[in-house]
Amino acid sequence: MSAPTMEERKACWGSRDEFWQCLDKHADDASKCEKLRLAFESRCPQQWVKYFDKRRDFLKYKKKLETEGYHPPEAAGKS
Amino acid sequence: MPLRLPHSPTPGLPHAVTHRVTHSLPHGTTNTVPLRLTHSPPPGQPPRRTLWGRAPRERGLPLWQRLLVAGAVAGAAGALWLSLRGQKERERQARRRAELRALAVGQGEFRLRDQEGRPRRKADFRGSWVLLYFGFTHCPDVCPEELGKLSQAVELLEREPGLPPVQPLFITVDPERDDAAALGRYLRDFHPRLLGLTGTPEEVRAAGKAYRVYASPGPRDEDGDYIVDHSVLIYLLGPDGLFLDCYGRGKSAQDIARSVRRHMGSYRPLPRDDDGHDGQ
């Protein structure tokens, strides 16, 4: 299986960006963006879909840190 | 020294000298008078003593001449100190450059093949400035971004007249999939002079180790596809083969070009070694 070409990469990134824009608009409600999700999954290799999903989670977490600050999780039983 | 009568002080002598003094008296008589043991001034006169117990000199060099002599001595001492310090600094620099030369030869070695199948070693790039990136062709976004940045940096430097050319270099961290043909296809989309290197897993691992590259292939899916997690840096190598700088994801193409230009400006070639390799 050969690596995606530049055109294929750009098509994948484009569909990813559309899907993410939809999620941003609907506060991460994936049910509202199903069509774009399918397009995204068809244009990108499976490994890349997983990778970009994780990346989205990370970017959202990073944004949360930047806006809300860091709140360490409550650890029961630890001093 | 004229003979002095016992009761007047003798300048410069800390202790009295006893000796017999004979002086002429009327015919037939002699008189020997021992000198007293202490120098006391004649009555009425204040004691003339310096801090050391000596009587001070009555005349010496004038103040301005004494200052001149002191200044000359201080100046000579200062000049000697500066020259010794300069010599020490030169020796330190020479030692440092010898260390760097040894490092330039031994450090960052690789033995790989390019996308045309030609063998390539680090020594082949001596005399060239090199911007090096480690990545893989199945990379989702980071590698295309970084290679795009690298290509743009090289283009910016090419546009400046008088600068030596920079060799863009790509080394794979995924030797299993990235053979010469795969590299050829992948790198076509970037700078025309971008050279891609691959090899056996051992050769690739050795090259990555030489540059402290972290690379870890992830789990495979049912298609056998996987993503290689790896450290992301663009390395700058000088014409001696010495590692000079590295640029992370936060640096733009302009940042990289500016930094390379600065390194080119301050670059001094390391001294030749015995077998004539001088980085040319």
Side-chain angles (χ1 to χ4, degrees):
Chain A
M1 187 182 81
S2 98
T5 64
M6 182 62 110
E7 293 79 27
E8 287 164 350
R9 283 199 293 269
K10 289 198 169 139
C12 164
W13 296 341
S15 64
R16 172 202 65 188
D17 291 339
E18 279 177 3
F19 175 57
W20 283 2
Q21 273 162 29
C22 173
L23 285 180
D24 289 338
K25 227 167 22 184
H26 294 101
D28 287 351
D29 186 359
S31 59
K32 299 268 165 54
C33 307
E34 277 210 37
K35 228 173 101 180
L36 289 170
R37 173 77 189 177
L38 288 172
F40 169 47
E41 283 177 3
S42 70
R43 295 238 179 86
C44 297
Q46 196 184 23
Q47 287 281 301
W48 290 25
V49 170
K50 275 195 218 145
Y51 171 86
F52 286 132
D53 286 343
K54 276 193 270 186
R55 180 121 183 100
R56 173 146 179 107
D57 287 342
F58 171 70
L59 289 171
K60 296 203 73 66
Y61 177 64
K62 197 169 112 172
K63 186 128 178 254
K64 193 163 145 232
L65 285 182
E66 283 163 1
T67 52
E68 292 173 25
Y70 174 60
H71 301 290
E74 314 240 328
K78 284 195 180 179
S79 59
Chain B
M1 195 147 113
L3 214 55
R4 292 200 183 259
L5 293 175
H7 63 269
S8 53
T10 308
L13 282 186
H15 302 291
V17 174
T18 47
H19 58 261
R20 292 172 130 17
V21 172
T22 49
H23 48 86
S24 37
L25 284 175
H27 211 48
T29 61
T30 53
N31 190 14
T32 45
V33 180
L35 281 177
R36 290 203 292 200
L37 279 172
T38 54
H39 278 298
S40 8
Q45 242 185 335
R48 290 176 68 203
R49 291 220 182 274
T50 64
L51 204 58
W52 313 109
R54 278 182 228 194
R57 286 188 185 279
E58 287 173 346
R59 299 197 66 80
L61 287 177
L63 181 66
W64 71 269
Q65 280 186 9
R66 280 187 245 184
L67 284 177
L68 198 68
V69 168
V73 168
L80 179 67
W81 177 76
L82 279 174
S83 105
L84 285 175
R85 194 177 76 153
Q87 193 187 340
K88 191 169 156 192
E89 181 61 26
R90 275 190 298 278
E91 279 167 14
R92 189 194 71 84
Q93 280 182 5
R95 240 191 342 264
R96 175 92 182 114
R97 287 162 80 70
E99 284 167 10
L100 284 177
R101 233 214 105 260
L103 203 63
V105 169
Q107 170 221 58
E109 179 60 83
F110 52 79
R111 281 170 210 282
L112 301 164
R113 286 179 185 274
D114 64 21
Q115 61 259 55
E116 309 294 322
R118 290 181 293 232
R120 297 277 190 163
R121 299 169 47 214
K122 194 181 93 151
D124 299 338
F125 297 97
R126 288 273 285 278
S128 277
W129 291 84
V130 172
L131 279 171
L132 167 61
Y133 177 74
F134 284 82
F136 67 114
T137 65
H138 282 73
C139 185
D141 53 357
V142 176
C143 304
E145 263 174 46
E146 295 297 300
L147 283 176
K149 216 167 63 175
L150 201 164
S151 304
Q152 211 185 336
V154 173
E155 276 167 22
L156 287 171
L157 290 164
E158 277 169 345
R159 276 189 230 149
E160 274 193 61
L163 290 183
V166 177
Q167 173 63 55
L169 203 56
F170 173 88
I171 297 183
T172 184
V173 295
D174 187 11
E176 212 183 288
R177 289 186 294 188
D178 290 349
D179 56 6
L183 288 184
R185 285 191 300 270
Y186 186 68
L187 300 175
R188 244 195 326 240
D189 294 318
F190 302 102
H191 195 281
R193 289 189 294 112
L194 177 57
L195 206 59
L197 302 182
T198 182
T200 67
E202 290 77 29
E203 289 166 343
V204 164
R205 200 174 17 249
K209 195 163 163 216
Y211 290 91
R212 309 280 197 275
V213 172
Y214 160 75
S216 169
R220 287 160 203 252
D221 61 14
E222 53 266 14
D223 298 325
D225 196 7
Y226 56 91
I227 286 186
V228 181
D229 188 24
H230 64 96
S231 52
V232 179
L233 279 176
I234 294 174
Y235 300 86
L236 175 67
L237 309 180
D240 297 305
L242 199 64
F243 160 71
L244 290 178
D245 213 337
C246 56
Y247 313 106
R249 292 204 65 187
K251 294 277 188 268
S252 69
Q254 286 81 2
D255 294 334
I256 296 174
R258 204 177 308 128
S259 170
V260 174
R261 205 182 305 118
R262 210 179 48 240
H263 279 285
M264 285 175 169
S266 63
Y267 168 69
R268 273 165 66 207
L270 292 174
R272 291 166 186 249
D273 64 6
D274 290 334
D275 50 34
H277 294 134
D278 59 354
Q280 292 307 315

